[in-house]
Amino acid sequence: MNIMMTKYPFVKEKLIQLGKRIGSAALNERHMAAFWEEQRERNCDDLWESIICGYIAYGNTDEERDFIDWMFFRNSTPIEICRKFYISEKTYYIRREHIFNDILFIAAECGLITSGIFENGISAVLDTFELTEGEWREIEHLTGKSTVQEANRSTIEAAFYLELNKLPWRNLPKKYGSWNSVYKRFSRLRKARLWEKIRKALGK
């Protein structure tokens, strides 16, 4: 299928982060465009969240917004959602794929990712990965140990970039610095057993 499947986990993570932020606010209004327009305005500094909120507000009907809300923001199981919307499990996953695809293509149009056509379909590559200020505050204390002082924010962002895009270290973009130098800093971070702590703290 011509889908950017390798990036689905990244989009799902962004949706989960958005769901955590909005919490249980306005449960009865989340199927309405006005609610998501307001969320988009509140998150104009975070381009990914702005894209997602805009997509939900402008690219869906009330019923589709309600479906997205139950799928990503209410901790509902697929079975519960299938029963609520009278759909099969197959239809559930097809609709979820469509949502992921829509968000990925909008992100590509906005320059957040690049896409290319290959023999096995379309693949997406994130142009960059950046921690939010909130995420950095969660893990900053883990990078300040004397043994890993060089394992800074850029190194962590580089490691997540490669992991999300399933790329080798030699393909690291120049913006992160020399791949070999970054890898050595990352290696020290991992040997100090802090990398998994960082991932766990960020829920990745």
Side-chain angles (χ1 to χ4, degrees):
M1 292 185 292
N2 289 335
I3 54 178
M4 298 187 285
M5 192 173 294
T6 59
K7 297 298 158 260
Y8 284 0
F10 181 79
V11 175
K12 183 179 180 180
E13 182 179 328
K14 289 295 182 181
L15 285 160
I16 290 172
Q17 289 175 358
L18 176 60
K20 288 179 179 179
R21 188 184 57 72
I22 64 176
S24 59
L27 286 174
N28 295 327
E29 298 177 16
R30 297 215 295 239
H31 67 284
M32 301 177 66
F35 174 86
W36 291 104
E37 288 173 3
E38 182 181 347
Q39 296 301 312
R40 182 172 180 264
E41 292 175 2
R42 289 181 178 179
N43 293 281
C44 57
D45 293 336
D46 186 320
L47 191 51
W48 272 101
E49 284 204 3
S50 181
I51 284 173
I52 292 171
C53 291
Y55 162 71
I56 297 173
Y58 309 126
N60 294 273
T61 64
D62 285 350
E63 189 273 338
E64 289 167 337
R65 280 188 285 271
D66 196 26
F67 180 79
I68 291 171
D69 184 37
W70 279 85
M71 178 176 283
F72 298 110
F73 308 134
R74 291 182 183 244
N75 296 319
S76 305
T77 66
I79 293 175
E80 290 172 334
I81 295 170
C82 289
R83 288 174 178 172
K84 175 175 174 59
F85 291 93
Y86 302 102
I87 59 174
S88 67
E89 187 175 350
K90 180 179 179 180
T91 300
Y92 167 89
Y93 286 107
I94 289 174
R95 292 182 70 174
R96 190 178 70 165
E97 272 190 12
H98 287 166
I99 293 165
F100 288 156
N101 276 341
D102 288 345
I103 294 172
L104 282 168
F105 278 110
I106 294 170
E109 289 178 354
C110 293
L112 284 178
I113 61 174
T114 55
S115 61
I117 299 177
F118 300 91
E119 290 182 0
N120 61 342
I122 298 176
S123 67
V125 178
L126 300 170
D127 283 339
T128 188
F129 176 86
E130 294 181 0
L131 295 166
T132 66
E133 290 304 317
E135 288 174 331
W136 176 242
R137 285 194 295 271
E138 287 287 325
I139 64 171
E140 187 175 8
H141 68 284
L142 294 174
T143 68
K145 310 273 185 182
S146 59
T147 56
V148 289
Q149 287 181 351
E150 292 184 79
N152 55 21
R153 181 171 179 167
S154 180
T155 300
I156 294 167
E157 290 174 338
F160 278 124
Y161 170 88
L162 293 174
E163 184 172 307
L164 287 165
N165 286 299
K166 295 179 171 54
L167 294 174
W169 279 97
R170 289 182 182 274
N171 286 44
L172 186 68
K174 291 181 179 179
K175 67 160 286 182
Y176 293 107
S178 165
W179 74 265
N180 193 39
S181 297
V182 177
Y183 172 75
K184 287 178 180 178
R185 293 197 297 270
F186 171 76
S187 182
R188 286 194 290 270
L189 185 72
R190 189 174 56 187
K191 286 178 181 178
R193 298 183 178 178
L194 293 177
W195 176 238
E196 287 305 316
K197 291 182 180 180
I198 289 170
R199 294 189 60 179
K200 185 176 180 179
L202 296 176
K204 296 184 186 298

